[in-house]
Amino acid sequence: MKILAVDSSAKSAGVAVAEDGRLISECFVNNALTHSRTLMPMVENALSQADLTLKDIDAICVNEGPGSFTGIRIGVAAVKGLAMCDNIPCAGVSTLECIAYNFVDEECIVCAAMDARCNQVYTALFRCDGVNVSRICEDKAISIDELGNELMNYGEKIYLAGDGAELCFRAFGDKIPNAKLSGENRRYQRAFGTALAAEKKNEFIDSALLAPVYLRLPQAERELKLRKGESL
């Protein structure tokens, strides 16, 4: 199965083409340019480098969240547009699960953490056994202090990854000696991880059913609810 994978859920963005778990081509950027400018040129480049066209692709997957509200919308909308003409099956993948696949060949726990502002992170825990990635808990938005307390329950090697990893490590790294800050080369989500997760689950759907996953309301909506005295 040839899979086109797309990620624009955070500051970095990436596109990959994979076939049966093998990476064929990949583009990655981590700069200040908006994803609306960079994403489609990366799609074109990744397909070109793989010597493929969209008609050769069997499925398209995208990181559906959590992450940047704008970035998630851009990625999901782009994939819907790419898939619609040829009715290409699609899959949405958790950004946090995608991060965990950077460590699939390790034996460890991966704490994927993305900066959610206000001293909070989007996070989930995964166990890697050198071959597979399995989920320990569901994606959630919690405070950095809460996450630190949760990680104290694990005695295994823990890798902190994601764009919130450094924030977490500064906050509680000295209290949890088995928690390590991952290197820059594996810290951020990669589209190849999106493809691996989608292929493993094998739950492809019609592009019309793809939808962003935010975990919490956008800031403007939260502030409006607070002004109205409504619960979040």
Side-chain angles (χ1 to χ4, degrees), residues 172-185:
F172 56 68
D174 58 339
K175 302 173 186 175
I176 309 175
N178 53 309
K180 310 296 181 185
L181 179 64
S182 62
E184 285 272 342
N185 60 320

Side-chain angles (χ1 to χ4, degrees), residues 108-111 151 154 156-160 176 178-180:
C108 64
I109 287 176
V110 178
C111 173
L151 292 181
Y154 296 91
E156 303 158 70
K157 177 169 61 177
I158 300 170
Y159 280 113
L160 300 173
I176 309 175
N178 53 309
K180 310 296 181 185

